[in-house]
Amino acid sequence: MGQKKQPSTDPVAEPKKRRRVDIADVDAGVEAKDCIKIYLVSSKEEVGVSDSFCIDPVDLNSFFDEDGKIYGYQELKITVWVNIISFHSYADITFKGTSNRGKGITDLKSALQSIFAETLVESKDKFLQTFSTETQFIRSAVSTGEVMQHKASNGHVSHLEEAVSDLEVVRMVVGNMATGHLYSRLIPLVLLLVDGSNPIDVTDPRWELYLLIQKTEDQQGDIQHRLLGFTALYRFYHYPDSTRIRLSQILIVPPYQRKGYGSYLVEVLSNIAIAENVYDFTVEEPLDSFQHVRTCVDIKHLLAFEPIQPAIDSAVLSLKEGKVSKKIRAPRFVPPLSAVDDVRKTLKINKKQFLQCWEILIYLSLHPVDKCIEDYFTIISNRVRADILGKDSGTAGKRVIDVPTTFDQDMSFVMFRSKDGEPSSVQMDTTQTNQEQQLQELVDERIREIKLIAQKVSPPCA
């Protein structure tokens, strides 16, 4: 009978080592905008060249999962090339490896197709071929459209027209196959570059596309059509027998931006609204950059519109005589209703836009050395503050005060009115100081905008 082996009591015996298990870190992912670059190219020689035109910045995160990240790839790099002749695209995807570390592996093909859809070409060779096989795409697409005649608002040929006489604006009504096919090629640029936009309904004939085309002659003597930009307008019925047009999307292709093409296109649209006698011409949620262009165009129309000149002269005279600044209520520049109506009927500029232009028209009639210029800026300040805080701000002694609360802070406040309309002596807290600073920044921004537009629309000195 054998004995049971006893545990060793040797003090120098090494303890048995435990096996260690490494746990991989959870995948933090990479933001789409940090690993994707999009280049716009007009020839196959530009493909693969790092100094080609790169769209930057562009928000891509909204196309990838809920948090805008790509998961499961190591050292991922995606380079997208867009042919701005035919608007086909190709994506070159490289990475060192893939692994699922708790977040899965992002389906890159599906995500890219959500942006580029049918324009995405699978092989690089086929993409390069589009530069030779699709050279007449734009020319063919707009062949059924209507060429719109351009007339300068002030009767003079613009600097852009003198330098580039080969521009053409073509109108295409949505609802036919040719227009739908063309717009489908433009959808990726709409999604990437037009803030907050969704594709229009290509089956609704109330949509219209206006395409800015540049015609040039190539080395073989053939006329090439290049798309510089486009805009989508919607026509509404206006009782009893008129229509209203609203600009919904506008884009100048990035390589052609800041060259005057946007102003040219907007001026053509304004002239169309006037020529077709629509009720008015409005813009859907314009960005500041577009609003600047729009106002410059409208100011040029208004400067040549003689019926409102007496109203401008009257407002300027009142300002110079000090009558405006002595009013009890916060003064603001308001054109007479007759002028508002004349401008809408003739120039198709709606009231809201005309009020913005009116302030600039008055500024253009003043001189920087005029004593009343300070009164002018005070009136602008009062108007901006009234628009933000309400009609009675700064004139009735009202103050809005933030107070500590257990309820929703954004929904809780106290409004205090001092006696006899005098400003209250309540000390404003930090929040109110910040609000005052923000208000002043808005005032300063508006004044800078007025000066900049006035400088752009003023005729050059002889």
Side-chain angles (χ1 to χ4, degrees):
M1 183 176 178
Q3 290 182 327
K4 185 177 180 180
K5 189 175 181 178
Q6 299 295 322
S8 174
T9 58
D10 187 352
V12 298
E14 293 184 2
K16 186 176 181 180
K17 294 183 178 181
R18 295 182 180 181
R19 296 181 62 186
R20 300 180 63 183
V21 179
D22 290 333
I23 301 177
D25 295 333
V26 176
D27 190 356
V30 57
E31 290 193 18
K33 64 182 180 62
D34 293 334
C35 63
I36 300 178
K37 286 187 177 297
I38 302 175
Y39 292 89
L40 304 182
V41 291
S42 58
S43 68
K44 62 182 181 180
E45 289 76 20
E46 297 177 10
V47 179
V49 179
S50 59
D51 61 352
S52 297
F53 190 95
C54 182
I55 302 177
D56 185 40
V58 60
D59 183 12
L60 297 164
N61 291 358
S62 60
F63 300 100
F64 293 86
D65 296 325
E66 295 182 356
D67 56 2
K69 291 186 177 182
I70 300 174
Y71 295 98
Y73 297 87
Q74 288 84 51
E75 299 186 28
L76 175 65
K77 181 181 178 182
I78 302 175
T79 305
V80 180
W81 306 92
V82 179
N83 177 349
I84 58 174
I85 303 300
S86 68
F87 296 95
H88 284 98
S89 56
Y90 168 71
D92 182 22
I93 303 173
T94 61
F95 51 88
K96 283 196 172 181
T98 62
S99 62
N100 185 347
R101 291 184 290 155
K103 291 285 190 176
I105 301 176
T106 300
D107 184 348
L108 295 177
K109 183 177 180 180
S110 176
L112 290 173
Q113 283 184 335
S114 70
I115 307 173
F116 298 98
E118 63 184 48
T119 71
L120 196 62
V121 179
E122 290 191 3
S123 75
K124 185 176 181 180
D125 288 339
K126 287 185 177 180
F127 175 69
L128 293 177
Q129 289 175 10
T130 63
F131 290 99
S132 57
T133 61
E134 296 276 345
T135 56
Q136 298 297 331
F137 169 69
I138 294 297
R139 180 177 181 176
S140 175
V142 304
S143 61
T144 58
E146 177 188 2
V147 177
M148 312 306 296
Q149 299 298 322
H150 176 248
K151 179 182 177 182
S153 61
N154 55 7
H156 299 287
V157 178
S158 67
H159 171 73
L160 181 62
E161 290 173 284
E162 289 179 339
V164 186
S165 58
D166 50 6
L167 296 180
E168 200 171 74
V169 175
V170 179
R171 172 163 63 189
M172 300 186 68
V173 177
V174 173
N176 60 64
M177 186 174 295
T179 307
H181 181 55
L182 171 60
Y183 186 74
S184 68
R185 296 273 184 100
L186 302 177
I187 286 176
L189 295 183
V190 171
L191 296 176
L192 291 170
L193 301 173
V194 181
D195 189 58
S197 283
N198 293 310
I200 66 174
D201 181 0
V202 294
T203 65
D204 187 347
R206 287 174 292 186
W207 282 105
E208 298 173 357
L209 290 183
Y210 290 81
L211 310 165
L212 180 59
I213 307 295
Q214 184 179 48
K215 296 192 297 183
T216 57
E217 186 176 325
D218 62 16
Q219 295 178 349
Q220 289 72 37
D222 295 328
I223 301 299
Q224 301 293 330
H225 289 60
R226 180 165 296 191
L227 180 64
L228 305 183
F230 68 93
T231 181
L233 268 66
Y234 195 79
R235 284 189 182 260
F236 294 89
Y237 167 72
H238 184 270
Y239 180 84
D241 56 0
S242 183
T243 59
R244 310 177 72 175
I245 58 174
R246 182 183 67 192
L247 189 152
S248 179
Q249 298 173 358
I250 185 169
L251 174 68
I252 300 299
V253 180
Y256 313 123
Q257 292 178 0
R258 301 186 183 281
K259 300 179 185 296
Y261 295 122
S263 297
Y264 182 91
L265 183 54
V266 172
E267 187 162 335
V268 171
L269 296 175
S270 297
N271 290 334
I272 290 171
I274 295 170
E276 297 184 357
N277 197 29
V278 301
Y279 181 79
D280 62 10
F281 175 30
T282 61
V283 180
E284 181 181 341
E285 299 180 1
L287 296 177
D288 290 343
S289 55
F290 174 79
Q291 181 62 30
H292 177 86
V293 172
R294 176 193 183 193
T295 302
C296 286
V297 171
D298 286 343
I299 288 292
K300 291 178 181 178
H301 281 268
L302 290 164
L303 287 173
F305 189 55
E306 294 183 0
I308 64 169
Q309 192 57 52
I312 296 174
D313 294 340
S314 177
V316 171
L317 181 61
S318 295
L319 184 63
K320 290 182 175 180
E321 292 178 349
K323 295 178 181 179
V324 177
S325 61
K326 294 179 181 178
K327 292 183 178 179
I328 298 175
R329 298 180 62 82
R332 59 190 300 161
F333 297 118
V334 179
L337 293 178
S338 59
V340 174
D341 196 43
D342 285 343
V343 166
R344 186 201 57 75
K345 287 181 178 179
T346 305
L347 302 181
K348 311 307 174 184
I349 300 173
N350 62 59
K351 180 179 179 180
K352 182 178 180 181
Q353 173 66 2
F354 182 36
L355 291 177
Q356 293 289 312
C357 295
W358 185 254
E359 294 178 344
I360 302 170
L361 291 171
I362 293 177
Y363 180 76
L364 285 167
S365 298
L366 299 173
H367 298 284
V369 296
D370 285 346
K371 294 180 180 180
C372 63
I373 199 70
E374 290 302 322
D375 285 342
Y376 171 86
F377 290 135
T378 298
I379 293 172
I380 297 300
S381 175
N382 288 338
R383 196 272 301 165
V384 172
R385 292 168 182 270
D387 287 349
I388 300 299
L389 299 179
K391 294 180 179 179
D392 292 325
S393 64
T395 61
K398 291 182 179 179
R399 298 294 177 93
V400 176
I401 305 170
D402 292 326
V403 294
T405 177
T406 57
F407 297 96
D408 186 349
Q409 185 67 40
D410 292 336
M411 299 295 293
S412 304
F413 63 90
V414 170
M415 179 172 285
F416 175 80
R417 184 198 295 270
S418 61
K419 295 181 179 180
D420 302 323
E422 293 296 327
S424 70
S425 58
V426 176
Q427 296 294 322
M428 291 191 296
D429 58 16
T430 305
T431 302
Q432 288 173 302
T433 301
N434 291 339
Q435 290 174 348
E436 176 60 29
Q437 181 179 351
Q438 291 170 0
L439 279 172
Q440 188 57 50
E441 289 174 356
L442 291 173
V443 171
D444 294 341
E445 181 181 347
R446 175 57 180 165
I447 292 174
R448 283 194 300 271
E449 179 185 19
I450 290 172
K451 291 181 176 180
L452 180 59
I453 292 177
Q455 182 180 3
K456 286 188 175 182
V457 301
S458 297
C461 297

